[in-house]
Each structure stands twice: as structure tokens, then as C-alpha cells.
Amino acid sequence: MRYLTAGESHGEALVGILEGLPAGLKVDIDFINDMLKARQNVYGRGSRSSVCRDEARIIAGLNDGVTTGAPLAVMLNNGNCGNKGNFDFYRPGHADYAANIKYGLGDAALGAERASARETAMRTALGAVAIGLLKELGIQVTAYVTQIGQAKANEGPLDEKMMCDVSSVESLKAVLDEAERTGDTLGGKLKLTISGVKAGIGSHVFYDRRLDYRLGGALMAIPAVKAVESGLGCDFAYSLGSRVADSFVNTGGKISRTSNNCGGIEGGISNGEDIIFTLTVKPIPSIAGLKTVDSCGNECVTGKVRGDVCAVPAACIVAEAVAALELAGAIMDTLGGDNMNELIERYKQKGEL
Ligand code: EPS
């Protein structure tokens, strides 16, 4: 499975092609649009999200709402979302400067057209299709906010607007509102969990078939994500090996573990436990009053540019989508199957000890 996206933030539309889906998968357009809506409506988004409503149109690859094995093509009109930014300064931390140097665009605002998180709308739409495929195999993908700025969230039932435990919404909202009030932005952390994945997906035999390489790369490629940790992640550095080993137990013939520090992946292969990643998202760099230079190299300060206050809640939705795309691709690589019946049958057969 592979996918491509095209489209600028203030161009006519985003388009995406997802290739390699088995035939016979029912594509739920309402679910795709629910995910798009969630990505736009969560806390932290700027004013653009309230003027621009994403609605996906599938223009190829379906017969009566079911995949045929042909590439799926999806389109998202940008609608009346404003024009390309008209500013001549580089936002420190944004792609503006590096993109201009790389492509010689001669325009400080042009690189942002493609670097914009706008593009994640299409990854979300395509990822929603992959989530549909994974559901058929009994696999669930969920992500939630664990921290915004200094405010940490508990684990518990999800509030869909903050993408965090309901009991933590007020404290997270307070730090978000304060950042917005002062014209600043905030980063944070989110936790991604994929449950229901059988052991044996991915491979240790070559780097680019490792499941952690594939998932880690896709998650790292979400705009503003600066760190991706698998399982216990950075905390492995402080621990004795004997303390963090995920010991095996045999309960009436069923093999399981006493802990899941490896985050469901050992040797680049799923091990049957939940797959767990933690992502660190940096604060959005569209902030007025920062020292910078203009496109001629003259020192100046950044001005106000429309943007989001915090990308962490929205990144939860995008993380679910890109992880689903990658996992579905890895499952197809491991098991193959030209149609859903074949795939489901092969997944059922996937061995246990
Ligand atoms: C973004 C800037 C804002 C955000 C945008 C990401 O857009 P605009 O330049 O139109 O104000 O709203 O995110 C989206 C449009 C989206 O759909 O996620 C940026 O500079 O990255």
C-alpha cells in the first residue's frame, strides 16, 4: 500500500491517492468526514478552522461504496479559506526559511503553502480508510493528549474536543487559553495505542520492513512532531534491564506478558501486545515579535500570521490516521490478499505459539 498527496494550503483543493487496498472494503464516507471534522474542531485550532469545513469526495476506486482493488482517489476542496500569506519574514521554526533556500522561491510565505499542516487533512482522509480496513481485522487505533505545556492529563474517558481525559480538560484549556491570550503557542505530548494487532506483523530481517521504522517514520513526519518514543521510550535509558523486561507467562495455554515496556514491538515485529508510541509536539512557530530576518536578510521581527495555538489535540487525529496507513501497509506486506475475504482469512490464520 502506498499513498500520495498534493495540494497547497490556499490552493483549490487537496488530492490524495491510496493504492494497494484490497477489493471488497466498504468505505464509510461519514467516518472519513467525522475524522476530518474532529481534526478541524478540536481545541487549539486557529480561526481558519471555523471558516473552512472539510468534506471528502471520493472520485475513483469505488463501486457502490466498496473498493475494487483500483487506486482510491480522494479530493478535499479548500473552499473560501483566504489567500496565501502576504508577509516578508521568516518564522523561526517554520519551514519558511529552509524551503526558500532549498527551492529558491524568492517569497518567504510560499514554502508554507505546502509545509502547512493543511496537508494533514488529506493524510487524515486516507488514514480514515485504513482505519476502516483495520477495524475489519479487529484492530483499534486511538490517540489522546497527555500533556499541553506544563499541564499534564490523567488517563481516562476521552473528551473529544480536547482529546484528553474528561477530568483534565479544564486544566489543559486554562494553559491553552492563557497562551492564546498572550499571543503565544504551546506544544505537548500525546500517546498513541494500537490494540488488537496479532504477533508477526513487520520483520526484523531488513530495516525498512521493521514495524517501528515504518510507524516511527510516519509519526515523525507529522508537522511539529519533534520526538517519537516507542513503548517506555526515553525512560529505558534510566532503567536496569531486569526491571524493564516484559516477562512471559503462560495462562492456561495463552502466552502473555507481565508488562509492555517494549510497546508491542520487538525486533521490528508486532508481539501481540498493544503497540504504544508517545509523540512530542513542538509549539507552533507562528508568533509575532520574534527576532528574525526578511527575504533580503535584513533583521526585523515577525508579524502576526494566522495560525493555530496548539497542534497537540489535532495531531492525535493525524497520528491515528498515519499510523493506520502504515500498519495497514505492513499487514498487506506480511499477509497479502487481493480482497478483504482473503485478508481476513489470512489474518485469522496468523499463528500463535
Ligand atoms: C497553518 C496555518 C493556518 C492553519 C493551518 C496550518 O492556516 P492559514 O495559513 O490559512 O491561516 O489553520 O492548518 C490548516 C489549514 C489545516 O487544515 O490544518 C500553518 O501555517 O501550518
Side-chain angles (χ1 to χ4, degrees):
M1 250 173 68
R2 56 190 170 153
Y3 62 99
L4 278 176
T5 72
E8 281 74 38
S9 184
H10 303 96
E12 189 176 330
L14 301 179
V15 291
I17 294 179
L18 178 55
E19 197 265 331
L21 282 170
L25 173 68
K26 193 172 175 335
V27 173
D28 183 347
I29 189 75
D30 293 333
F31 177 68
I32 296 174
N33 286 326
D34 285 349
M35 274 195 70
L36 289 169
K37 200 162 145 195
R39 193 196 69 93
Q40 281 192 308
N41 284 356
V42 286
Y43 281 121
R45 304 307 311 272
S47 57
R48 172 162 174 172
S49 293
S50 51
V51 291
C52 172
R53 285 274 155 271
D54 280 333
E55 226 172 278
R57 203 152 67 85
I58 299 181
I59 55 179
L62 292 185
N63 181 40
D64 282 340
V66 178
T67 56
T68 62
L72 194 77
V74 183
M75 192 163 153
L76 270 179
N77 278 317
N78 278 339
N80 186 18
C81 296
N83 299 320
K84 179 181 90 60
N86 180 21
F87 54 88
D88 187 26
F89 49 80
Y90 295 116
R91 288 167 289 177
H94 207 283
D96 305 334
Y97 175 76
N100 207 359
I101 297 288
K102 178 174 171 61
Y103 291 106
L105 300 173
D107 177 344
L110 194 51
E113 282 300 301
R114 184 66 188 154
S116 167
R118 174 74 196 137
E119 187 270 343
T120 64
M122 183 49 71
R123 278 189 256 176
T124 300
L126 299 180
V129 178
I131 288 175
L133 183 151
L134 296 177
K135 274 185 192 156
E136 295 287 323
L137 305 178
I139 297 170
Q140 300 291 329
V141 189
T142 51
Y144 58 88
V145 175
T146 56
Q147 185 172 345
I148 289 182
Q150 301 290 326
K152 294 199 172 162
N154 306 315
E155 297 210 7
L158 199 71
D159 174 271
E160 290 185 350
K161 244 178 113 62
M162 189 57 92
M163 294 301 291
C164 75
D165 163 53
V166 282
S167 72
S168 309
V169 175
E170 285 314 312
S171 58
L172 265 53
K173 197 169 173 302
V175 293
L176 256 184
D177 289 349
E178 178 59 11
E180 187 169 19
R181 195 187 62 74
T182 57
D184 221 318
T185 62
L186 277 174
K189 290 189 180 201
L190 66 94
K191 183 172 171 183
L192 174 85
T193 303
I194 312 176
S195 52
V197 185
K198 287 193 164 192
I201 306 302
S203 175
H204 64 292
V205 301
F206 206 68
Y207 78 93
D208 63 354
R209 291 169 64 195
R210 293 179 74 105
L211 193 56
D212 41 7
Y213 167 86
R214 296 184 64 162
L215 286 168
L219 293 166
M220 192 74 193
I222 299 170
V225 169
K226 298 306 278 183
V228 174
E229 297 174 66
S230 169
L232 200 57
C234 295
D235 288 345
F236 272 118
Y238 315 110
S239 315
L240 283 167
S242 55
R243 296 278 168 87
V244 292
D246 298 325
S247 298
F248 288 98
V249 283
N250 183 335
T251 319
K254 192 172 167 18
I255 308 291
S256 64
R257 306 298 185 99
T258 52
S259 58
N260 184 20
N261 293 318
C262 280
I265 301 177
E266 287 169 313
I269 310 173
S270 62
N271 67 6
E273 300 297 308
D274 283 358
I275 292 176
I276 294 170
F277 280 89
T278 304
L279 275 57
T280 300
V281 183
K282 74 174 179 179
I284 299 284
S286 299
I287 304 163
L290 302 179
K291 273 185 73 176
T292 188
V293 293
D294 66 17
S295 57
C296 299
N298 303 310
E299 287 191 358
C300 60
V301 291
T302 55
K304 197 166 165 43
V305 175
R306 185 171 73 172
D308 304 330
V309 179
C310 176
V312 190
C316 289
I317 312 291
V318 182
E320 291 174 358
V322 299
L325 283 163
E326 222 49 53
L327 179 61
I331 290 174
M332 291 301 291
D333 286 350
T334 299
L335 301 178
D338 289 321
N339 58 62
M340 283 306 288
N341 288 341
E342 275 177 8
L343 177 63
I344 290 168
E345 206 39 54
R346 290 177 190 185
Y347 192 68
K348 267 194 210 144
Q349 306 281 322
K350 191 75 199 146
E352 284 174 20
L353 203 63

